[in-house]
């Protein structure tokens, strides 16, 4: 999966900007990154939000999300709802899902162990899968403010990584499970777009040293102003510069002892 967002949606993390400046390395533009993903994945879907260009790069709301699919498809989504699921290449039990509902776009990879109880909690049908559950959980967070984001993500048990974009509010919400079982990386392209993907090599070729592994047990939200630990929401997250021989430009770490936040 791949999500690419312009600076009008999310400001590039200063730590990744600094890492790229400290060790200059080749980068490519956001449009070239999306084209590379589509060209190297025969079964891919590309969804653009806003703008007439093939990758949606010419609008105040410039967002592109891509995922593997049964057939190559391209959509310019207005308010239409759509959904698809395919098996992840990483593990047979994981699914990579994409859905759009009520102008909320979600890429999800992984599996939730407590999906059944969460369906009941959010009043969803038994047919609702993980990606729909995450959309509903995000809507609860958005519409019941001030509702702590760490409570929403903390209720998700299992292996997962997801990217949510709310077109109605131009809000980005990204999260990874507490063990980091599902790979998720983020970086900055040559033209300043922030990209999230499950393929480190894909982003390495696009973002150079402005690249890092997304920290496990954390979420990133433009609504709350950046990166937070949902298990230890009061702990600061720092970026440690990586060694020259590492592919990363920085490593994000949660400071202090681990104290799992209440999930009730």
């Amino acid at each position: 999966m791949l999500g690419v967002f312009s600076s009008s949606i999310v400001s590039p993390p200063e730590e990744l900007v600094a890492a790229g400046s400290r060790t200059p390395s080749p980068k490519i533009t956001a449009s070239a990154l999306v084209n590379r993903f589509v060209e190297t994945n025969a079964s891919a879907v590309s969804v653009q939000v806003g703008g007439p260009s093939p990758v949606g790069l010419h609008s105040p709301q410039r967002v592109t999300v891509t995922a593997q699919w049964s057939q190559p498809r391209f959509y310019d989504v207005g308010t239409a709802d759509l959904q698809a699921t395919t098996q992840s290449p990483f593990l047979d039990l994981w699914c990579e899902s994409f859905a759009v509902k009520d102008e909320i776009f979600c890429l999800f990879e992984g599996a939730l162990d407590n999906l059944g109880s969460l369906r009941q909690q959010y009043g969803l049908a038994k047919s609702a899968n993980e990606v729909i559950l995450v959309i509903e959980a995000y809507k609860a967070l958005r519409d019941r403010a001030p509702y702590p984001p760490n409570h929403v993500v903390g209720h998700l048990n299992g292996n997962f990584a997801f990217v949510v974009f709310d077109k109605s509010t131009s809000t980005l919400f990204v999260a990874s499970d507490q063990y980091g079982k599902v790979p998720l990386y983020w970086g900055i392209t040559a033209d300043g777009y922030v990209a999230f993907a499950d393929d480190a090599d894909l982003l390495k070729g696009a973002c150079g040293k402005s690249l890092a592994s997304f920290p496990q047990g954390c979420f990133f939200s433009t609504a709350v102003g950046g990166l937070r630990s949902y298990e230890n929401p009061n702990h600061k997250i720092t970026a440690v510069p990586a060694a020259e021989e590492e592919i990363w430009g920085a490593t994000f770490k949660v400071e202090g002892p681990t104290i799992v936040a209440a999930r009730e």
Side-chain angles (χ1 to χ4, degrees):
M1 65 179 180
L2 172 67
V4 182
F5 303 87
S6 75
S7 58
S8 64
I9 302 298
V10 53
S11 298
E14 294 180 1
E15 297 87 349
L16 296 184
V17 174
S21 300
R22 185 175 61 252
T23 308
S25 52
K27 295 183 178 184
I28 61 176
T29 64
S31 58
L33 170 61
V34 173
N35 290 338
R36 177 178 294 179
F37 180 92
V38 173
E39 290 171 359
T40 57
N41 292 277
S43 56
V45 59
S46 181
V47 177
Q48 57 228 13
V49 184
S53 76
V55 291
L57 301 178
H58 301 295
S59 168
Q61 287 189 325
R62 292 170 291 182
V63 178
T64 302
V65 291
T66 58
Q68 294 187 29
W69 202 293
S70 58
Q71 294 291 332
R73 304 179 186 183
F74 295 84
Y75 293 93
D76 189 349
V77 178
T79 59
D81 292 351
L82 57 95
Q83 180 183 349
T85 301
T86 185
Q87 289 301 117
S88 166
F90 294 101
L91 188 63
D92 289 342
L93 297 178
W94 292 357
C95 285
E96 183 175 296
S97 305
F98 170 71
V100 183
K101 183 179 181 181
D102 300 330
E103 294 193 305
I104 300 172
F105 298 72
C106 181
L107 283 167
F108 179 95
E109 186 168 329
L112 296 179
D113 299 331
N114 60 337
L115 179 60
S117 62
L118 289 172
R119 286 183 185 129
Q120 294 181 338
Q121 178 180 333
Y122 288 99
L124 300 177
K126 292 183 179 180
S127 59
N129 61 4
E130 283 90 347
V131 69
I132 294 299
L133 186 283
V134 168
I135 288 177
E136 293 299 329
Y138 167 79
K139 288 173 64 178
L141 167 66
R142 181 193 65 184
D143 299 339
R144 299 175 190 174
Y147 192 62
N150 57 289
H151 284 199
V152 173
V153 187
H155 282 120
L156 306 180
N157 297 331
N159 303 325
F160 62 85
F162 63 79
V163 177
V164 171
F165 175 69
D166 184 349
K167 182 184 177 186
S168 66
T169 61
S170 295
T171 298
L172 177 66
F173 192 95
V174 183
S176 175
D177 70 71
Q178 60 180 322
Y179 302 111
K181 294 293 185 180
V182 178
L184 183 63
Y185 311 94
W186 56 338
I188 305 171
T189 64
D191 47 351
Y193 284 66
V194 179
F196 297 86
D198 58 356
D199 185 341
D201 290 334
L202 176 69
L203 290 192
K204 180 183 177 182
C207 305
K209 282 288 187 176
S210 296
L211 171 67
S213 177
F214 192 87
Q216 61 193 47
C218 292
F219 68 89
F220 179 88
S221 170
T222 55
V224 302
L227 189 63
R228 300 284 190 277
S229 167
Y230 61 80
E231 293 198 298
N232 303 279
N234 295 323
H235 290 190
K236 183 180 179 181
I237 299 178
T238 58
V240 180
E244 289 292 331
E245 63 272 14
E246 296 187 59
I247 67 171
W248 318 118
T251 300
F252 290 85
K253 296 183 178 181
V254 180
E255 295 184 354
T258 300
I259 303 175
V260 178
R263 297 187 178 185
E264 286 75 32

